[in-house]
């Protein structure tokens, strides 16, 4: 095994995790759409 094998893989993991969290933070959240209903629902 190479020297610093675990440290290098941990650094790569941290970089992937940071990229994922940055992408997740900028995703738009979907909100439920409001359904317009007529005033008199009998119509």
């Amino acid at each position: 095994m190479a020297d610093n094998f675990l440290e290098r893989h941990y650094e790569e993991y941290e970089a992937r995790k940071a990229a994922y969290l940055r992408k997740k933070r900028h995703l738009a959240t979907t909100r439920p759409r409001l359904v317009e209903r007529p005033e008199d629902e009998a119509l």
Side-chain angles (χ1 to χ4, degrees):
M1 280 196 165
D3 291 329
N4 299 325
F5 176 80
L6 294 176
E7 289 84 358
R8 185 174 29 119
H9 280 276
Y10 186 72
E11 289 171 1
E12 291 172 1
Y13 159 76
E14 288 290 327
R16 287 194 312 270
K17 180 180 174 183
Y20 165 76
L21 291 176
R22 276 194 307 272
K23 182 179 178 183
K24 180 182 175 185
R25 190 175 341 147
H26 293 296
L27 291 178
T29 56
T30 57
R31 296 181 181 174
R33 295 182 181 178
L34 295 176
V35 178
E36 294 183 16
R37 297 182 183 174
E39 291 180 18
D40 184 10
E41 294 186 9
L43 293 176

